[in-house]
Amino acid sequence: MSILWSILMILGLAFAIFEGKPDRLLKAIMDSGKETLEYLFTLVGIMAFWSGIYGIIEKTGSLNLLTKNIARPLFKRVFRQPLHGQQEKAVFASIAANLLGLGNAATVWGLRAMQELKKEDRLTPNIATFLILLSSGLTIFPSAVINLRAAMGSKKAAIIWLPALIVSIVCTLAALAFDKVWGEKE
Amino acid sequence: MSQFIPAIIVLLTILAGLKAKINIYENFLKGAQAGILALWKIAPTVFGIFMALSLIRSSLFWEYIIDKITLLLKPVGISKELVPLILIRPFSGSASLAVLTKLMSQFGPDSLLGLTASTFMASTETVFYVVMTYLASVQIKRSRHIFSVVVLTQLIALFSSTFLWLLLT
């Protein structure tokens, strides 16, 4: 990922120089600084709130039952190393939030799950599988896109629901298969 | 219906907290603090992504790479209009939503292009953003095979949304 960022920066800067527009760097810094702050402002309440709610959920023990019955059998097949109690719960909460389309809660709980999964300063097989699972885009109801389509005057805004579900299931299965094959080698 | 889910989950959580006789507010605050700290940790990554994206998108390279990728994808039935969405989708959710909006206002949400683009958008994630910020939040630097897996997954989403809508329309 660090290579990707470096390539983007090198290309962006080289073109700014060759096109004779070096001021583009300053503009990019200023604009994206502003953009970042705006983004963080909208996110701070959401992060604090959903992370706080997770703080309560964790203590109530209501996740225990759900994790034991739904998540454990599935996780056994998907993850290469067994997940401990806290990890299992955090990963389950994050994936459930993703499936339900709670985009913001999903991010917060996902970061929470990362903290539970992290043992040392390197990428463990379980972290890789977790990130790959999140990145495959599995959602039951993609409300953001469907709402946008409706707002743009679509007659059948929700018509993409089933195709999107099929595509995301195919992607998730493929991603897990790739992870099994390539993750094993390292 | 789906807009009721957050409120219901929060309500159930607080009721469960009452039943379990825990200090609800205190646990909420502890969790909230962890959330704000996590946000603090991902802030530099977000800035880095936004800045690189801004530099690239304002350069001639952007036009150039879109043309090159179009040449590659045209033979398999993917049109030029989809390419900016394909390139931005992995980096930023808000930027790709803006690209999708522009595309749909130009061609209509119910056109073949509009349907394909919305399906691609709905079935994919901001993969580079997710992997970069999540790894940064726990100070992990190497991403090993994750990068290739997420790129391939994104391509599978692109091809299957395209072919699915070619079949359906």
Side-chain angles (χ1 to χ4, degrees):
Chain A
M1 289 295 158
S2 136
I3 298 170
L4 177 70
W5 190 81
S6 314
I7 293 173
L8 290 179
M9 288 302 286
I10 290 169
L11 283 171
L13 291 170
F15 271 85
I17 292 165
F18 286 129
E19 287 174 49
K21 290 180 180 131
D23 49 315
R24 219 179 253 161
L25 174 64
L26 188 65
K27 193 175 175 312
I29 296 172
M30 300 303 277
D31 288 354
S32 42
K34 208 175 132 219
E35 217 181 316
T36 307
L37 261 193
E38 277 168 1
Y39 179 75
L40 295 179
F41 268 132
T42 57
L43 221 59
V44 68
I46 292 160
M47 290 288 274
F49 181 76
W50 286 106
S51 188
I53 293 300
Y54 189 79
I56 305 173
I57 294 181
E58 216 179 11
K59 285 278 169 344
T60 60
S62 48
L63 271 178
N64 294 343
L65 213 71
L66 285 171
T67 320
K68 215 169 127 191
N69 294 324
I70 305 172
R72 196 167 294 165
L74 279 173
F75 286 176
K76 262 193 194 138
R77 305 186 69 111
V78 171
F79 287 94
R80 241 169 286 134
Q81 289 163 353
L83 298 173
H84 311 298
Q86 291 298 93
Q87 297 179 333
E88 209 173 30
K89 278 184 261 177
V91 169
F92 172 70
S94 150
I95 290 172
N98 262 303
L99 287 177
L100 292 173
L102 300 171
N104 297 313
T107 309
V108 181
W109 296 354
L111 291 171
R112 179 58 197 244
M114 287 299 283
Q115 264 152 31
E116 298 288 351
L117 286 173
K118 187 204 172 180
K119 279 183 239 140
E120 39 214 301
D121 280 342
R122 56 179 203 94
L123 189 74
T124 61
N126 279 349
I127 293 182
T129 308
F130 177 61
L131 284 179
I132 284 167
L133 204 55
L134 287 188
S135 302
S136 57
L138 194 57
T139 330
I140 294 172
F141 194 81
S143 45
V145 177
I146 290 177
N147 290 343
L148 175 67
R149 290 174 52 76
M152 306 281 302
S154 165
K155 296 274 185 304
K156 315 157 268 187
I159 198 174
I160 62 144
W161 174 73
L162 192 59
L165 187 66
I166 295 171
V167 172
S168 66
I169 289 174
V170 169
C171 286
T172 306
L173 294 177
L176 288 176
F178 291 137
D179 177 46
K180 276 255 149 62
V181 178
W182 288 335
E184 210 73 52
K185 281 188 193 156
E186 306 194 39
Chain B
M1 181 57 218
S2 63
Q3 57 269 51
F4 288 98
I5 295 176
I8 293 170
I9 290 177
V10 173
L11 187 66
L12 288 178
T13 302
I14 293 173
L15 291 176
L18 283 175
K19 195 167 160 260
K21 295 201 178 65
I22 55 162
N23 190 331
I24 298 174
Y25 187 53
E26 198 178 283
N27 283 305
F28 175 78
L29 292 184
K30 257 193 222 156
Q33 189 181 36
I36 293 174
L37 283 176
L39 186 67
W40 189 244
K41 278 188 194 157
I42 67 168
T45 315
V46 174
F47 173 66
I49 294 174
F50 282 172
M51 188 177 60
L53 206 57
S54 156
L55 262 182
I56 280 287
R57 285 183 74 184
S58 57
S59 73
L60 284 176
F61 176 76
W62 188 246
E63 311 292 328
Y64 171 80
I65 195 79
I66 287 176
D67 283 342
K68 284 287 165 232
I69 292 177
T70 306
L71 282 180
L72 225 79
L73 292 180
K74 201 96 190 212
V76 280
I78 292 160
S79 52
K80 184 179 180 173
E81 285 73 21
L82 269 178
V83 177
L85 183 67
I86 300 166
L87 289 177
I88 296 173
R89 181 59 181 150
F91 291 99
S92 158
S94 51
S96 48
L97 219 53
V99 173
L100 179 68
T101 310
K102 199 176 146 219
L103 188 148
M104 289 204 290
S105 66
Q106 225 176 333
F107 299 91
D110 295 327
S111 62
L112 178 60
L113 198 60
L115 290 167
T116 310
S118 341
T119 307
F120 173 72
M121 177 81 187
S123 56
T124 48
E125 255 295 336
T126 50
V127 287
F128 293 154
Y129 171 83
V130 168
V131 174
M132 280 172 164
T133 50
Y134 280 39
L135 287 182
S137 79
V138 289
Q139 287 95 40
I140 293 175
K141 284 173 197 76
R142 292 205 51 206
S143 54
R144 301 196 317 185
H145 66 292
I146 299 180
F147 182 79
S148 0
V149 173
V150 298
V151 170
L152 263 177
T153 314
Q154 210 88 340
L155 285 176
I156 292 174
L158 173 66
F159 289 126
S160 43
S161 349
T162 307
F163 290 128
L164 211 53
W165 281 109
L166 279 179
L167 283 178
L168 287 171
T169 47

